[in-house]
Amino acid sequence: MAIELDALIATYQDLHRHPELGRQEHRTAGIVAEQLTALGYAVTTGVGGTGVVGVLERGEGPTVLLRADMDALPVREDTGLAYASTATAVNDDGETVPVMHACGHDLHTTCLLGAAAALVDDEAWQGRLLLVFQPDEEGGGGAQAMVDDGLFERFGTPDVVLGQHVAPVPVGVLGVRSGPAFAASDALRITLYGSGGHGSRPEATVDPVVMGAALVQRLQTVVSREIAATDTVVVTVGSFHAGVAPNVIPDEAVLGLSIRTADERVRTSVLDAVGRMTRAEATAAGATREPEIEALTSFPPVVNDAVACDRLRDAFAAAGRWIVVDPGPVTGSEDVGILADAAGAPCAYWLLGGADPALFAGATTVEEIRALVADLPSNHSPRYAPLAGATLESGVAALVTAARSWLG
Ligand code: ZN
Ligand code: ZN
């Protein structure tokens, strides 16, 4: 019953062409449920919104949770691929936005469908497979929504949580890191209140555009001046909205921040600094109303279990088809850790190489490979385009290999 590669590629291209934003993954969930049902899994849809759970029981043995995320991003695709997305969707603010699988979650979903089929075929294991197709990873709410909807009470508590994320490193490379592997993520919305008026009479206003511009600059000093060089932190201002006309000073400016940290102590310092600088810039500008800082999403770092990672590395090495590396701490974030924390189970989450190895031809040193990786469009880029066929083969095999190393 193993799905042929051509069929997997067709599913992948179909999902890629029809991406859906977080909590809107209705079509994707439908395809997942249909394929899992045909394979003989006990399927439940609507878990934590649009999540899908597939269970396959086969006698006594451990419960292994394999997780894939299904959501896409508000990005206008610019890959030029024949199966590129032209989809749009309405976001939470009621705006129509372009949608693209710019993070590769279509690949994760397809790989898990391929692994689901391969594990049905493989009769040499015992235990319980718990397949989790999660919504809304990018919004940071999907894993928690599934947990809150009784994921583990309804479908059993896993002995291990396994999953993978595609990355712009060559196909055939897997990245496994014990301990803190993916950063904690905090998304904030800062609203600065000024006092608008005519663009010709700034003296009669408190200009929130200037206040916001000063704050953006000031925030660059959090990492460079307040955090030790040995700590891993990113502070990004990813959006800045203010005003609609050149000759009107607006009343407010709204900034969107993304903060990544690997350590709770450092996370607290960074959030404190952002709050202090925001209030201080408002005071400096003479604002009469305090700025507002809202936490949009917040999720913890992914901390991979050392014993589980050793087991995973041994299994990948024994398969003989991958180069397994330690990628170092990743400043990207993932909410898969919420599943493992809620289950009280060890987590082993790895990076899956998805770039065309031909692009790395001639590179012989780690520095040369790193330089080439830095030049490639990365996840979230409008030009991010993993090599479909070979990555799917590698990703299916990695999931099966990992699951089998727990299922005997
Ligand atoms: Zn992403
Ligand atoms: Zn992602």
PDB file of all heavy atoms in Angstrom, residues 194-233:
ATOM      1  N   GLY A 194      -0.045  59.019  19.437  1.00  0.00           N
ATOM      2  CA  GLY A 194       0.362  60.411  19.314  1.00  0.00           C
ATOM      3  C   GLY A 194      -0.874  61.284  19.326  1.00  0.00           C
ATOM      4  O   GLY A 194      -1.872  60.961  19.970  1.00  0.00           O
ATOM      5  N   SER A 195      -0.790  62.369  18.580  1.00  0.00           N
ATOM      6  CA  SER A 195      -1.940  63.253  18.449  1.00  0.00           C
ATOM      7  C   SER A 195      -1.830  63.853  17.055  1.00  0.00           C
ATOM      8  O   SER A 195      -0.920  64.633  16.771  1.00  0.00           O
ATOM      9  CB  SER A 195      -1.881  64.319  19.538  1.00  0.00           C
ATOM     10  OG  SER A 195      -2.922  65.248  19.343  1.00  0.00           O
ATOM     11  N   GLY A 196      -2.728  63.432  16.168  1.00  0.00           N
ATOM     12  CA  GLY A 196      -2.585  63.759  14.749  1.00  0.00           C
ATOM     13  C   GLY A 196      -2.984  65.180  14.412  1.00  0.00           C
ATOM     14  O   GLY A 196      -3.515  65.928  15.248  1.00  0.00           O
ATOM     15  N   GLY A 197      -2.743  65.537  13.163  1.00  0.00           N
ATOM     16  CA  GLY A 197      -3.109  66.875  12.709  1.00  0.00           C
ATOM     17  C   GLY A 197      -2.601  67.138  11.308  1.00  0.00           C
ATOM     18  O   GLY A 197      -2.218  66.210  10.582  1.00  0.00           O
ATOM     19  N   HIS A 198      -2.554  68.419  10.923  1.00  0.00           N
ATOM     20  CA  HIS A 198      -2.144  68.797   9.568  1.00  0.00           C
ATOM     21  C   HIS A 198      -0.629  68.616   9.401  1.00  0.00           C
ATOM     22  O   HIS A 198       0.137  68.980  10.295  1.00  0.00           O
ATOM     23  CB  HIS A 198      -2.518  70.262   9.312  1.00  0.00           C
ATOM     24  CG  HIS A 198      -2.616  70.583   7.849  1.00  0.00           C
ATOM     25  ND1 HIS A 198      -1.524  70.630   7.027  1.00  0.00           N
ATOM     26  CD2 HIS A 198      -3.693  70.841   7.060  1.00  0.00           C
ATOM     27  CE1 HIS A 198      -1.906  70.908   5.799  1.00  0.00           C
ATOM     28  NE2 HIS A 198      -3.242  71.046   5.798  1.00  0.00           N
ATOM     29  N   GLY A 199      -0.236  68.067   8.252  1.00  0.00           N
ATOM     30  CA  GLY A 199       1.186  67.834   7.990  1.00  0.00           C
ATOM     31  C   GLY A 199       1.984  69.118   7.933  1.00  0.00           C
ATOM     32  O   GLY A 199       3.208  69.105   8.070  1.00  0.00           O
ATOM     33  N   SER A 200       1.315  70.254   7.747  1.00  0.00           N
ATOM     34  CA  SER A 200       2.034  71.535   7.667  1.00  0.00           C
ATOM     35  C   SER A 200       2.267  72.147   9.046  1.00  0.00           C
ATOM     36  O   SER A 200       2.996  73.112   9.191  1.00  0.00           O
ATOM     37  CB  SER A 200       1.222  72.522   6.821  1.00  0.00           C
ATOM     38  OG  SER A 200       0.026  72.846   7.512  1.00  0.00           O
ATOM     39  N   ARG A 201       1.612  71.551  10.085  1.00  0.00           N
ATOM     40  CA  ARG A 201       1.735  72.141  11.424  1.00  0.00           C
ATOM     41  C   ARG A 201       2.108  71.093  12.466  1.00  0.00           C
ATOM     42  O   ARG A 201       1.345  70.809  13.401  1.00  0.00           O
ATOM     43  CB  ARG A 201       0.436  72.858  11.807  1.00  0.00           C
ATOM     44  CG  ARG A 201       0.107  74.062  10.887  1.00  0.00           C
ATOM     45  CD  ARG A 201      -1.065  74.869  11.430  1.00  0.00           C
ATOM     46  NE  ARG A 201      -0.785  75.413  12.751  1.00  0.00           N
ATOM     47  CZ  ARG A 201      -1.496  75.138  13.860  1.00  0.00           C
ATOM     48  NH1 ARG A 201      -2.545  74.341  13.787  1.00  0.00           N
ATOM     49  NH2 ARG A 201      -1.164  75.664  15.025  1.00  0.00           N
ATOM     50  N   PRO A 202       3.296  70.507  12.317  1.00  0.00           N
ATOM     51  CA  PRO A 202       3.703  69.446  13.244  1.00  0.00           C
ATOM     52  C   PRO A 202       3.781  69.924  14.693  1.00  0.00           C
ATOM     53  O   PRO A 202       3.642  69.133  15.619  1.00  0.00           O
ATOM     54  CB  PRO A 202       5.088  69.015  12.729  1.00  0.00           C
ATOM     55  CG  PRO A 202       5.565  70.144  11.884  1.00  0.00           C
ATOM     56  CD  PRO A 202       4.338  70.774  11.300  1.00  0.00           C
ATOM     57  N   GLU A 203       3.987  71.232  14.887  1.00  0.00           N
ATOM     58  CA  GLU A 203       4.097  71.752  16.256  1.00  0.00           C
ATOM     59  C   GLU A 203       2.796  71.574  17.042  1.00  0.00           C
ATOM     60  O   GLU A 203       2.805  71.611  18.273  1.00  0.00           O
ATOM     61  CB  GLU A 203       4.531  73.239  16.232  1.00  0.00           C
ATOM     62  CG  GLU A 203       3.475  74.244  15.797  1.00  0.00           C
ATOM     63  CD  GLU A 203       3.307  74.358  14.283  1.00  0.00           C
ATOM     64  OE1 GLU A 203       3.821  73.487  13.547  1.00  0.00           O
ATOM     65  OE2 GLU A 203       2.640  75.326  13.829  1.00  0.00           O
ATOM     66  N   ALA A 204       1.698  71.363  16.298  1.00  0.00           N
ATOM     67  CA  ALA A 204       0.413  71.189  16.982  1.00  0.00           C
ATOM     68  C   ALA A 204       0.075  69.717  17.184  1.00  0.00           C
ATOM     69  O   ALA A 204      -1.037  69.385  17.577  1.00  0.00           O
ATOM     70  CB  ALA A 204      -0.693  71.878  16.163  1.00  0.00           C
ATOM     71  N   THR A 205       1.036  68.839  16.898  1.00  0.00           N
ATOM     72  CA  THR A 205       0.767  67.405  16.992  1.00  0.00           C
ATOM     73  C   THR A 205       1.817  66.709  17.859  1.00  0.00           C
ATOM     74  O   THR A 205       2.834  67.310  18.215  1.00  0.00           O
ATOM     75  CB  THR A 205       0.815  66.740  15.592  1.00  0.00           C
ATOM     76  OG1 THR A 205       2.184  66.695  15.164  1.00  0.00           O
ATOM     77  CG2 THR A 205       0.001  67.516  14.568  1.00  0.00           C
ATOM     78  N   VAL A 206       1.546  65.444  18.175  1.00  0.00           N
ATOM     79  CA  VAL A 206       2.593  64.532  18.662  1.00  0.00           C
ATOM     80  C   VAL A 206       2.676  63.443  17.603  1.00  0.00           C
ATOM     81  O   VAL A 206       1.730  62.675  17.423  1.00  0.00           O
ATOM     82  CB  VAL A 206       2.242  63.935  20.040  1.00  0.00           C
ATOM     83  CG1 VAL A 206       3.308  62.917  20.454  1.00  0.00           C
ATOM     84  CG2 VAL A 206       2.110  65.039  21.085  1.00  0.00           C
ATOM     85  N   ASP A 207       3.793  63.423  16.863  1.00  0.00           N
ATOM     86  CA  ASP A 207       3.872  62.597  15.659  1.00  0.00           C
ATOM     87  C   ASP A 207       4.259  61.146  15.990  1.00  0.00           C
ATOM     88  O   ASP A 207       5.399  60.872  16.373  1.00  0.00           O
ATOM     89  CB  ASP A 207       4.900  63.226  14.711  1.00  0.00           C
ATOM     90  CG  ASP A 207       4.892  62.556  13.348  1.00  0.00           C
ATOM     91  OD1 ASP A 207       4.366  61.427  13.252  1.00  0.00           O
ATOM     92  OD2 ASP A 207       5.409  63.163  12.398  1.00  0.00           O
ATOM     93  N   PRO A 208       3.323  60.209  15.826  1.00  0.00           N
ATOM     94  CA  PRO A 208       3.625  58.814  16.155  1.00  0.00           C
ATOM     95  C   PRO A 208       4.540  58.140  15.128  1.00  0.00           C
ATOM     96  O   PRO A 208       5.135  57.108  15.437  1.00  0.00           O
ATOM     97  CB  PRO A 208       2.236  58.157  16.167  1.00  0.00           C
ATOM     98  CG  PRO A 208       1.428  58.967  15.215  1.00  0.00           C
ATOM     99  CD  PRO A 208       1.948  60.380  15.333  1.00  0.00           C
ATOM    100  N   VAL A 209       4.663  58.726  13.923  1.00  0.00           N
ATOM    101  CA  VAL A 209       5.572  58.150  12.920  1.00  0.00           C
ATOM    102  C   VAL A 209       7.013  58.338  13.377  1.00  0.00           C
ATOM    103  O   VAL A 209       7.828  57.405  13.343  1.00  0.00           O
ATOM    104  CB  VAL A 209       5.348  58.791  11.529  1.00  0.00           C
ATOM    105  CG1 VAL A 209       6.363  58.262  10.527  1.00  0.00           C
ATOM    106  CG2 VAL A 209       3.926  58.540  11.050  1.00  0.00           C
ATOM    107  N   VAL A 210       7.320  59.547  13.841  1.00  0.00           N
ATOM    108  CA  VAL A 210       8.672  59.823  14.332  1.00  0.00           C
ATOM    109  C   VAL A 210       8.947  59.003  15.603  1.00  0.00           C
ATOM    110  O   VAL A 210      10.028  58.438  15.780  1.00  0.00           O
ATOM    111  CB  VAL A 210       8.850  61.336  14.593  1.00  0.00           C
ATOM    112  CG1 VAL A 210      10.223  61.617  15.199  1.00  0.00           C
ATOM    113  CG2 VAL A 210       8.687  62.114  13.294  1.00  0.00           C
ATOM    114  N   MET A 211       7.931  58.920  16.456  1.00  0.00           N
ATOM    115  CA  MET A 211       8.062  58.131  17.698  1.00  0.00           C
ATOM    116  C   MET A 211       8.372  56.664  17.351  1.00  0.00           C
ATOM    117  O   MET A 211       9.265  56.045  17.928  1.00  0.00           O
ATOM    118  CB  MET A 211       6.725  58.210  18.446  1.00  0.00           C
ATOM    119  CG  MET A 211       6.788  57.975  19.932  1.00  0.00           C
ATOM    120  SD  MET A 211       5.115  57.787  20.619  1.00  0.00           S
ATOM    121  CE  MET A 211       4.273  59.273  20.137  1.00  0.00           C
ATOM    122  N   GLY A 212       7.631  56.150  16.374  1.00  0.00           N
ATOM    123  CA  GLY A 212       7.820  54.748  15.964  1.00  0.00           C
ATOM    124  C   GLY A 212       9.176  54.528  15.327  1.00  0.00           C
ATOM    125  O   GLY A 212       9.854  53.536  15.600  1.00  0.00           O
ATOM    126  N   ALA A 213       9.583  55.481  14.471  1.00  0.00           N
ATOM    127  CA  ALA A 213      10.888  55.361  13.806  1.00  0.00           C
ATOM    128  C   ALA A 213      12.011  55.347  14.841  1.00  0.00           C
ATOM    129  O   ALA A 213      12.955  54.552  14.762  1.00  0.00           O
ATOM    130  CB  ALA A 213      11.076  56.506  12.816  1.00  0.00           C
ATOM    131  N   ALA A 214      11.899  56.226  15.851  1.00  0.00           N
ATOM    132  CA  ALA A 214      12.904  56.270  16.916  1.00  0.00           C
ATOM    133  C   ALA A 214      12.907  54.951  17.690  1.00  0.00           C
ATOM    134  O   ALA A 214      13.969  54.429  18.045  1.00  0.00           O
ATOM    135  CB  ALA A 214      12.621  57.442  17.861  1.00  0.00           C
ATOM    136  N   LEU A 215      11.716  54.417  17.926  1.00  0.00           N
ATOM    137  CA  LEU A 215      11.641  53.155  18.679  1.00  0.00           C
ATOM    138  C   LEU A 215      12.263  52.004  17.897  1.00  0.00           C
ATOM    139  O   LEU A 215      12.990  51.184  18.463  1.00  0.00           O
ATOM    140  CB  LEU A 215      10.181  52.842  19.046  1.00  0.00           C
ATOM    141  CG  LEU A 215       9.966  51.537  19.813  1.00  0.00           C
ATOM    142  CD1 LEU A 215      10.778  51.500  21.108  1.00  0.00           C
ATOM    143  CD2 LEU A 215       8.474  51.326  20.116  1.00  0.00           C
ATOM    144  N   VAL A 216      12.009  51.959  16.593  1.00  0.00           N
ATOM    145  CA  VAL A 216      12.599  50.889  15.771  1.00  0.00           C
ATOM    146  C   VAL A 216      14.125  50.926  15.888  1.00  0.00           C
ATOM    147  O   VAL A 216      14.777  49.899  16.079  1.00  0.00           O
ATOM    148  CB  VAL A 216      12.165  51.022  14.288  1.00  0.00           C
ATOM    149  CG1 VAL A 216      12.961  50.049  13.409  1.00  0.00           C
ATOM    150  CG2 VAL A 216      10.670  50.776  14.136  1.00  0.00           C
ATOM    151  N   GLN A 217      14.697  52.135  15.798  1.00  0.00           N
ATOM    152  CA  GLN A 217      16.154  52.266  15.925  1.00  0.00           C
ATOM    153  C   GLN A 217      16.622  51.850  17.314  1.00  0.00           C
ATOM    154  O   GLN A 217      17.584  51.107  17.473  1.00  0.00           O
ATOM    155  CB  GLN A 217      16.588  53.714  15.656  1.00  0.00           C
ATOM    156  CG  GLN A 217      16.390  54.164  14.231  1.00  0.00           C
ATOM    157  CD  GLN A 217      17.287  53.421  13.253  1.00  0.00           C
ATOM    158  OE1 GLN A 217      18.164  52.659  13.644  1.00  0.00           O
ATOM    159  NE2 GLN A 217      17.063  53.621  11.976  1.00  0.00           N
ATOM    160  N   ARG A 218      15.913  52.336  18.323  1.00  0.00           N
ATOM    161  CA  ARG A 218      16.308  52.067  19.706  1.00  0.00           C
ATOM    162  C   ARG A 218      16.272  50.562  20.004  1.00  0.00           C
ATOM    163  O   ARG A 218      17.118  50.040  20.722  1.00  0.00           O
ATOM    164  CB  ARG A 218      15.334  52.818  20.630  1.00  0.00           C
ATOM    165  CG  ARG A 218      15.638  52.706  22.095  1.00  0.00           C
ATOM    166  CD  ARG A 218      16.729  53.668  22.503  1.00  0.00           C
ATOM    167  NE  ARG A 218      17.416  53.155  23.673  1.00  0.00           N
ATOM    168  CZ  ARG A 218      18.382  53.809  24.317  1.00  0.00           C
ATOM    169  NH1 ARG A 218      18.760  54.999  23.897  1.00  0.00           N
ATOM    170  NH2 ARG A 218      18.976  53.287  25.356  1.00  0.00           N
ATOM    171  N   LEU A 219      15.274  49.886  19.430  1.00  0.00           N
ATOM    172  CA  LEU A 219      15.140  48.448  19.693  1.00  0.00           C
ATOM    173  C   LEU A 219      16.329  47.647  19.162  1.00  0.00           C
ATOM    174  O   LEU A 219      16.604  46.544  19.627  1.00  0.00           O
ATOM    175  CB  LEU A 219      13.828  47.910  19.075  1.00  0.00           C
ATOM    176  CG  LEU A 219      12.538  48.357  19.779  1.00  0.00           C
ATOM    177  CD1 LEU A 219      11.312  47.957  18.960  1.00  0.00           C
ATOM    178  CD2 LEU A 219      12.454  47.753  21.187  1.00  0.00           C
ATOM    179  N   GLN A 220      17.045  48.224  18.171  1.00  0.00           N
ATOM    180  CA  GLN A 220      18.219  47.525  17.648  1.00  0.00           C
ATOM    181  C   GLN A 220      19.321  47.418  18.712  1.00  0.00           C
ATOM    182  O   GLN A 220      20.248  46.626  18.572  1.00  0.00           O
ATOM    183  CB  GLN A 220      18.782  48.235  16.400  1.00  0.00           C
ATOM    184  CG  GLN A 220      17.761  48.510  15.308  1.00  0.00           C
ATOM    185  CD  GLN A 220      16.929  47.298  14.950  1.00  0.00           C
ATOM    186  OE1 GLN A 220      17.451  46.216  14.670  1.00  0.00           O
ATOM    187  NE2 GLN A 220      15.612  47.453  14.975  1.00  0.00           N
ATOM    188  N   THR A 221      19.216  48.239  19.752  1.00  0.00           N
ATOM    189  CA  THR A 221      20.262  48.201  20.775  1.00  0.00           C
ATOM    190  C   THR A 221      19.983  47.156  21.862  1.00  0.00           C
ATOM    191  O   THR A 221      20.824  46.921  22.718  1.00  0.00           O
ATOM    192  CB  THR A 221      20.437  49.583  21.462  1.00  0.00           C
ATOM    193  OG1 THR A 221      19.250  49.891  22.204  1.00  0.00           O
ATOM    194  CG2 THR A 221      20.698  50.676  20.442  1.00  0.00           C
ATOM    195  N   VAL A 222      18.814  46.525  21.825  1.00  0.00           N
ATOM    196  CA  VAL A 222      18.541  45.489  22.839  1.00  0.00           C
ATOM    197  C   VAL A 222      19.586  44.386  22.714  1.00  0.00           C
ATOM    198  O   VAL A 222      20.280  44.042  23.680  1.00  0.00           O
ATOM    199  CB  VAL A 222      17.119  44.904  22.682  1.00  0.00           C
ATOM    200  CG1 VAL A 222      16.919  43.753  23.666  1.00  0.00           C
ATOM    201  CG2 VAL A 222      16.061  45.971  22.896  1.00  0.00           C
ATOM    202  N   VAL A 223      19.708  43.846  21.509  1.00  0.00           N
ATOM    203  CA  VAL A 223      20.654  42.738  21.315  1.00  0.00           C
ATOM    204  C   VAL A 223      22.099  43.231  21.365  1.00  0.00           C
ATOM    205  O   VAL A 223      22.949  42.615  22.000  1.00  0.00           O
ATOM    206  CB  VAL A 223      20.379  42.029  19.960  1.00  0.00           C
ATOM    207  CG1 VAL A 223      21.424  40.960  19.694  1.00  0.00           C
ATOM    208  CG2 VAL A 223      18.975  41.421  19.965  1.00  0.00           C
ATOM    209  N   SER A 224      22.381  44.385  20.719  1.00  0.00           N
ATOM    210  CA  SER A 224      23.781  44.803  20.594  1.00  0.00           C
ATOM    211  C   SER A 224      24.359  45.377  21.887  1.00  0.00           C
ATOM    212  O   SER A 224      25.558  45.294  22.111  1.00  0.00           O
ATOM    213  CB  SER A 224      23.929  45.832  19.465  1.00  0.00           C
ATOM    214  OG  SER A 224      23.306  47.044  19.818  1.00  0.00           O
ATOM    215  N   ARG A 225      23.498  45.981  22.761  1.00  0.00           N
ATOM    216  CA  ARG A 225      24.014  46.665  23.948  1.00  0.00           C
ATOM    217  C   ARG A 225      23.583  46.066  25.278  1.00  0.00           C
ATOM    218  O   ARG A 225      24.156  46.388  26.306  1.00  0.00           O
ATOM    219  CB  ARG A 225      23.581  48.154  23.934  1.00  0.00           C
ATOM    220  CG  ARG A 225      24.016  48.950  22.733  1.00  0.00           C
ATOM    221  CD  ARG A 225      25.521  49.152  22.670  1.00  0.00           C
ATOM    222  NE  ARG A 225      26.171  48.055  21.956  1.00  0.00           N
ATOM    223  CZ  ARG A 225      27.490  47.880  21.887  1.00  0.00           C
ATOM    224  NH1 ARG A 225      28.306  48.712  22.485  1.00  0.00           N
ATOM    225  NH2 ARG A 225      28.004  46.867  21.234  1.00  0.00           N
ATOM    226  N   GLU A 226      22.563  45.208  25.276  1.00  0.00           N
ATOM    227  CA  GLU A 226      22.039  44.758  26.576  1.00  0.00           C
ATOM    228  C   GLU A 226      22.174  43.263  26.799  1.00  0.00           C
ATOM    229  O   GLU A 226      21.947  42.786  27.907  1.00  0.00           O
ATOM    230  CB  GLU A 226      20.559  45.160  26.717  1.00  0.00           C
ATOM    231  CG  GLU A 226      20.356  46.664  26.617  1.00  0.00           C
ATOM    232  CD  GLU A 226      19.095  47.149  27.320  1.00  0.00           C
ATOM    233  OE1 GLU A 226      18.531  46.405  28.137  1.00  0.00           O
ATOM    234  OE2 GLU A 226      18.687  48.279  27.032  1.00  0.00           O
ATOM    235  N   ILE A 227      22.500  42.525  25.746  1.00  0.00           N
ATOM    236  CA  ILE A 227      22.551  41.070  25.852  1.00  0.00           C
ATOM    237  C   ILE A 227      23.980  40.595  25.604  1.00  0.00           C
ATOM    238  O   ILE A 227      24.655  41.106  24.699  1.00  0.00           O
ATOM    239  CB  ILE A 227      21.587  40.435  24.812  1.00  0.00           C
ATOM    240  CG1 ILE A 227      20.147  40.926  25.043  1.00  0.00           C
ATOM    241  CG2 ILE A 227      21.659  38.912  24.844  1.00  0.00           C
ATOM    242  CD1 ILE A 227      19.559  40.573  26.402  1.00  0.00           C
ATOM    243  N   ALA A 228      24.418  39.637  26.391  1.00  0.00           N
ATOM    244  CA  ALA A 228      25.783  39.124  26.234  1.00  0.00           C
ATOM    245  C   ALA A 228      25.957  38.495  24.855  1.00  0.00           C
ATOM    246  O   ALA A 228      25.019  37.894  24.304  1.00  0.00           O
ATOM    247  CB  ALA A 228      26.062  38.079  27.311  1.00  0.00           C
ATOM    248  N   ALA A 229      27.158  38.625  24.330  1.00  0.00           N
ATOM    249  CA  ALA A 229      27.450  38.111  22.996  1.00  0.00           C
ATOM    250  C   ALA A 229      27.259  36.596  22.927  1.00  0.00           C
ATOM    251  O   ALA A 229      27.060  36.034  21.855  1.00  0.00           O
ATOM    252  CB  ALA A 229      28.877  38.483  22.592  1.00  0.00           C
ATOM    253  N   THR A 230      27.323  35.941  24.077  1.00  0.00           N
ATOM    254  CA  THR A 230      27.212  34.481  24.101  1.00  0.00           C
ATOM    255  C   THR A 230      25.758  34.001  24.097  1.00  0.00           C
ATOM    256  O   THR A 230      25.503  32.812  23.950  1.00  0.00           O
ATOM    257  CB  THR A 230      27.902  33.932  25.364  1.00  0.00           C
ATOM    258  OG1 THR A 230      27.516  34.763  26.468  1.00  0.00           O
ATOM    259  CG2 THR A 230      29.405  33.960  25.219  1.00  0.00           C
ATOM    260  N   ASP A 231      24.796  34.927  24.293  1.00  0.00           N
ATOM    261  CA  ASP A 231      23.384  34.535  24.285  1.00  0.00           C
ATOM    262  C   ASP A 231      22.783  34.705  22.889  1.00  0.00           C
ATOM    263  O   ASP A 231      23.136  35.634  22.169  1.00  0.00           O
ATOM    264  CB  ASP A 231      22.588  35.379  25.289  1.00  0.00           C
ATOM    265  CG  ASP A 231      22.894  34.983  26.736  1.00  0.00           C
ATOM    266  OD1 ASP A 231      23.020  33.776  26.990  1.00  0.00           O
ATOM    267  OD2 ASP A 231      23.035  35.886  27.583  1.00  0.00           O
ATOM    268  N   THR A 232      21.870  33.798  22.545  1.00  0.00           N
ATOM    269  CA  THR A 232      21.236  33.850  21.232  1.00  0.00           C
ATOM    270  C   THR A 232      19.896  34.580  21.335  1.00  0.00           C
ATOM    271  O   THR A 232      18.986  34.109  22.017  1.00  0.00           O
ATOM    272  CB  THR A 232      20.985  32.415  20.717  1.00  0.00           C
ATOM    273  OG1 THR A 232      22.230  31.729  20.690  1.00  0.00           O
ATOM    274  CG2 THR A 232      20.367  32.426  19.330  1.00  0.00           C
ATOM    275  N   VAL A 233      19.817  35.744  20.698  1.00  0.00           N
ATOM    276  CA  VAL A 233      18.587  36.550  20.733  1.00  0.00           C
ATOM    277  C   VAL A 233      18.372  37.206  19.375  1.00  0.00           C
ATOM    278  O   VAL A 233      19.332  37.640  18.737  1.00  0.00           O
ATOM    279  CB  VAL A 233      18.669  37.679  21.804  1.00  0.00           C
ATOM    280  CG1 VAL A 233      17.401  38.525  21.796  1.00  0.00           C
ATOM    281  CG2 VAL A 233      18.910  37.111  23.188  1.00  0.00           C
TER     282      VAL A 233
END
